[in-house]
Amino acid sequence: MTPKKENKLLRFLNSKKVVPYVFVFPFILSFTILTLYPTIQAVIMSFQRILPGNVEFIGLQNYSRIFNDTFYKALANSTIYMILTVLILISIPILLAILLDSKLVRFKTLFRSALFIPALTSIIVAGVIFRLVFSESENAIANQIIGFLGFEPVQWQFTAWSGMFLMVMMASWRWMGVNVLYFLAGLQNIPKELYESADIDGANMYQKFRHVTLPFLKPIIIFVTTISIIGGFRVFEESYVIWQGNSPGNIGLTLVGLLYQQGIQQNDMGFGAAIGVILLLIIFIVSIIYLLLTGAFKRGDE
């Protein structure tokens, strides 16, 4: 390439009309390869019967098989898990973030690091620890604690309520610190003058939280809630490390677990893809409804 042509190419790439596209091109490329293409392939597979060396289009047959008691059980488990994790992973991190941002706590950096460590821990290691702590043995730590309080030992991994409790507790333990960091970042952006003005007006702690803290944290709350809804419906690891995909009475079966069970373990890829498409639609609809209810699509001046 001659210097003249090279300069012309550089001027073209550096022009105001082209530069934005140059910056977003890596994102568009990665989104197309890693998200859009697999999604389109999954939709196509959901209309196919896939066997080794034989792929056949079968219309809506995979979708007609989905809606049965096993699917409804997986949907109910995923929905309950999503609701509980959203409630816990929004309310408690906000309170912890406010506490860590106040002058009441010393060694703040130590506590922030300690809260974040579970997010870096392998889910396999966490699963092994949880299975030991909450085993059905009377000598397990959890049963010893409730025995000390006067309660009978619990078979944690064999009843519906305790199974859900284990999954929610493991998710809360893993992601609590991450959400605390989100809310701490939001608290840093609140002007201190607003709290000083509230003090002058005689506002108490609740009024300052209601009228100053919450409005500024609203965008963070919407963001964290949205990713918690998505994460809640796509739960798989917590269930798998506790029961290895075979929970008694399907007490730990989730939608992604059902997809894995049908698509991978039973090699029915077309049916698994159909479950994945239904899961995608559920997450999309629930997220859109939530964002509409919270006014996330409104412009700032409305």
Side-chain angles (χ1 to χ4, degrees):
M1 184 181 293
T2 63
K4 187 175 181 180
K5 288 184 177 179
E6 185 177 359
N7 291 334
K8 189 175 181 180
L9 178 61
L10 288 175
R11 283 200 301 274
F12 173 74
L13 293 176
N14 288 326
S15 65
K16 291 182 179 178
K17 293 183 179 179
V18 175
V19 164
Y21 297 100
V22 173
F23 277 107
V24 300
F25 178 73
F27 166 75
I28 294 175
L29 183 63
S30 61
F31 174 78
T32 303
I33 295 175
L34 302 176
T35 304
L36 185 59
Y37 176 73
T39 302
I40 294 174
Q41 280 296 318
V43 173
I44 294 173
M45 288 171 60
S46 69
F47 295 101
Q48 296 174 331
R49 178 185 294 115
I50 301 173
L51 297 173
N54 182 20
V55 177
E56 176 188 3
F57 275 94
I58 56 174
L60 296 174
Q61 289 185 27
N62 286 326
Y63 289 96
S64 66
R65 297 167 51 198
I66 288 180
F67 300 103
N68 51 47
D69 291 342
T70 305
F71 174 81
Y72 292 132
K73 180 68 176 177
L75 177 61
N77 286 339
S78 299
T79 304
I80 294 171
Y81 173 89
M82 181 274 292
I83 293 173
L84 292 176
T85 50
V86 166
L87 292 175
I88 293 173
L89 289 174
I90 298 299
S91 58
I92 297 179
I94 288 178
L95 297 178
L96 288 175
I98 293 173
L99 186 62
L100 289 175
D101 193 53
S102 69
K103 298 178 182 178
L104 300 175
V105 178
R106 300 177 62 188
F107 311 113
K108 296 178 181 178
T109 304
L110 175 64
F111 285 113
R112 291 172 186 175
S113 303
L115 285 169
F116 192 74
I117 286 176
L120 305 176
T121 305
S122 166
I123 183 65
I124 303 299
V125 175
V128 171
I129 295 173
F130 266 71
R131 292 185 65 182
L132 292 174
V133 172
F134 294 96
S135 74
E136 61 273 20
S137 169
E138 293 184 5
N139 296 322
I141 296 175
N143 277 335
Q144 288 187 353
I145 292 174
I146 64 173
F148 179 77
L149 297 175
F151 295 98
E152 294 294 323
V154 176
Q155 293 188 327
W156 298 95
Q157 300 168 32
F158 295 91
T159 57
W161 73 267
S162 58
M164 182 59 67
F165 171 80
L166 290 183
M167 290 198 296
V168 172
M169 189 171 181
M170 184 181 292
S172 302
W173 173 76
R174 287 183 70 198
W175 302 118
M176 187 74 70
V178 177
N179 288 0
V180 169
L181 291 184
Y182 282 133
F183 291 122
L184 272 173
L187 290 173
Q188 305 302 314
N189 293 324
I190 301 177
K192 303 301 179 188
E193 293 80 7
L194 293 178
Y195 289 111
E196 294 172 359
S197 300
D199 288 332
I200 294 173
D201 292 338
N204 56 34
M205 289 184 65
Y206 171 75
Q207 289 170 326
K208 287 188 283 187
F209 174 75
R210 171 72 177 80
H211 298 290
V212 178
T213 306
L214 272 185
F216 274 88
L217 285 183
K218 182 180 177 182
I220 307 295
I221 294 173
I222 292 174
F223 169 73
V224 175
T225 304
T226 304
I227 62 174
S228 297
I229 290 173
I230 296 172
F233 276 117
R234 56 181 289 276
V235 55
F236 172 70
E237 297 96 334
E238 285 81 0
S239 171
Y240 188 80
V241 297
I242 294 174
W243 292 286
Q244 287 78 51
N246 295 303
S247 59
N250 287 331
I251 60 173
L253 183 64
T254 64
L255 288 174
V256 179
L258 180 62
L259 188 159
Y260 174 79
Q261 187 184 84
Q262 298 295 324
I264 304 299
Q265 291 184 326
Q266 301 187 18
N267 200 28
D268 195 348
M269 297 294 289
F271 186 46
I275 297 172
V277 172
I278 295 297
L279 175 60
L280 177 67
L281 291 174
I282 291 172
I283 292 175
F284 178 77
I285 292 171
V286 173
S287 299
I288 290 297
I289 291 174
Y290 169 73
L291 293 174
L292 286 173
L293 291 176
T294 55
F297 293 126
K298 293 181 180 178
R299 295 186 304 179
D301 55 350
E302 290 182 347

